[in-house]
Amino acid sequence: MQNLDDLIAVRNLKKHYLLTKGFVFSKIAGYVKAVDDISFSISSGRTLGLVGESGCGKSTTARLLLGLESPTSGKVYFEGKNISTRKGPELIKFRKNIQAVFQDPFRSLNPRKKIRQIIAEPLWVHKTLPKKKISTRVCALLETVGLSASHADLYPHEFSGGQRQRIAIARALALNPKAIILDEPVSALDVSIQAQILNLLIDLQNQFHLAYLIISHDLAVIEHVSDHIGVMYLGKLVEMAPRDKIYSNPLHPYTRALLDSVPVADPTMIKDVGLEDEVPSPLNPPTGCRFHPRCGFRDNECSRVAPELVDVGAEHYVACHLS
């Protein structure tokens, strides 16, 4: 059932990549289950944080929401309308509503173009403003993200990493989107700059009532900006809850391990995260609970039956037989 307050609603979303072998007569070698049956919602003015180890499907989820990938099955709703099947001009028109800020601000900005051209490009493509008003809009966007209109005629290499990410944010705001996907937006920045960018994102969210999906390995970043947090493992959501509940009462063993792995200044406070072995391959995920080969609490049922993501009360969902 769709919630009328949901700006974005993901329902049973899957993305499986076909793998083949051989050059002439290609044979199917299997499927990489990058995203495997996940569901979540984001309301206007709210932030969902996605955490998990590399390869768990976070960035693939972001690409599915942006329309950069087509889902194998499942649906993505935006304002109650199914957008997962849109293609061509219809998809381009929709993209005004969801924009993206990527991990590396240097690689996401064209080094051959001035900042004025970079920020104005979405406005040219979508033709949302008369040409004579575009320059004024670019200068206003630069000032909105804490830069000066005088920066418009410089090139990306003339800025610091934090300033380049501010430019990327200004470009994302150009079309007045309703949602922004943030894929590791501060991981390439110095620690001293990260807080500035995160505070800027919070201020912009309050000012424009934006919905955020933020992806990060850094649990401190997620805690600072998120309202709800989803924990992904091998393409599955294993726990989802309001931020405070995730940090005060994690129910899934994998969530606990992630929290225990956060670096601390006092070496006497370092905990054994309790993770066994390496992350299994998404090409051949374990049967039952996908986390069970690494879990110190597993029993026979964990290897046989895949747990469902169930509500244990107060918007707290967990997929674990032992919770």
Side-chain angles (χ1 to χ4, degrees):
M1 182 70 68
Q2 289 292 109
N3 188 328
L4 296 178
D5 294 330
D6 294 340
L7 180 69
I8 299 172
V10 172
R11 297 292 177 260
N12 306 113
L13 194 63
K14 295 183 180 182
K15 182 60 181 179
H16 298 174
Y17 294 98
L18 174 66
L19 288 185
T20 59
K21 59 182 179 180
F23 293 99
V24 181
F25 301 104
S26 296
K27 296 182 179 179
I28 296 176
Y31 293 87
V32 176
K33 297 179 179 180
V35 175
D36 199 19
D37 196 11
I38 66 172
S39 300
F40 60 82
S41 302
I42 312 174
S43 302
S44 295
R46 310 293 285 178
T47 301
L48 172 65
L50 278 184
V51 298
E53 294 170 282
S54 296
C56 70
K58 305 185 303 296
S59 293
T60 302
T61 300
R63 293 175 65 84
L64 290 167
L65 266 61
L66 289 165
L68 300 176
E69 299 273 4
S70 297
T72 303
S73 65
K75 296 178 180 179
V76 178
Y77 295 94
F78 187 88
E79 295 183 322
K81 298 179 180 178
N82 183 10
I83 62 170
S84 52
T85 56
R86 294 188 179 187
K87 296 181 180 180
E90 190 180 20
L91 177 60
I92 293 173
K93 183 179 179 180
F94 161 75
R95 280 183 175 153
K96 292 186 292 184
N97 296 305
I98 301 183
Q99 292 291 296
V101 175
F102 299 101
Q103 177 176 357
D104 188 344
F106 191 72
R107 294 181 63 185
S108 66
L109 302 178
N110 191 331
R112 297 186 178 184
K113 290 186 177 182
K114 293 182 177 180
I115 302 309
R116 181 184 306 277
Q117 297 170 295
I118 290 172
I119 297 177
E121 188 170 9
L123 301 171
W124 295 334
V125 170
H126 291 275
K127 301 177 181 178
T128 56
L129 282 178
K131 289 184 179 180
K132 60 183 180 181
K133 294 185 177 182
I134 288 180
S135 180
T136 302
R137 173 66 171 160
V138 168
C139 293
L141 286 165
L142 285 171
E143 292 173 355
T144 298
V145 298
L147 297 175
S148 168
S150 62
H151 291 132
D153 291 312
L154 301 178
Y155 289 91
H157 73 270
E158 299 179 83
F159 293 90
S160 67
Q163 289 175 319
R164 285 195 289 265
Q165 197 63 299
R166 289 176 185 267
I167 293 165
I169 294 169
R171 179 178 59 185
L173 292 172
L175 296 171
N176 294 315
K178 298 179 181 179
I180 297 181
I181 310 297
L182 303 148
D183 193 352
E184 300 278 6
V186 297
S187 64
L189 307 178
D190 293 340
V191 174
S192 60
I193 305 300
Q194 289 183 4
Q196 296 178 22
I197 298 299
L198 293 174
N199 289 332
L200 171 63
L201 290 170
I202 293 172
D203 291 342
L204 293 173
Q205 183 177 51
N206 294 331
Q207 182 178 352
F208 299 110
H209 204 56
L210 296 164
Y212 288 157
L213 173 67
I214 183 166
I215 294 167
S216 180
H217 292 87
D218 192 332
L219 288 166
V221 168
I222 292 293
E223 183 179 18
H224 185 65
V225 299
S226 299
D227 299 297
H228 283 72
I229 295 174
V231 181
M232 290 192 70
Y233 184 79
L234 277 184
K236 292 278 193 181
L237 275 171
V238 297
E239 189 165 2
M240 179 173 287
R243 173 190 60 201
D244 295 342
K245 292 186 180 298
I246 287 287
Y247 285 87
S248 65
N249 184 32
L251 297 180
H252 198 282
Y254 180 61
T255 307
R256 296 175 195 165
L258 288 179
L259 292 171
D260 288 344
S261 67
V262 175
V264 293
D266 185 354
T268 64
M269 299 296 291
I270 296 176
K271 300 178 181 179
D272 180 7
V273 299
L275 288 179
E276 303 176 9
D277 302 321
E278 299 294 328
V279 181
S281 169
L283 179 61
N284 185 27
T287 58
C289 174
R290 295 188 177 183
F291 183 63
H292 87 264
R294 307 177 70 195
C295 180
F297 304 98
R298 63 183 180 268
D299 60 18
N300 292 333
E301 185 181 18
C302 297
S303 61
R304 294 185 289 103
V305 182
E308 297 291 331
L309 192 69
V310 296
D311 187 356
V312 294
E315 298 184 276
H316 198 154
Y317 297 82
V318 63
C320 179
H321 293 302
L322 306 177
S323 65

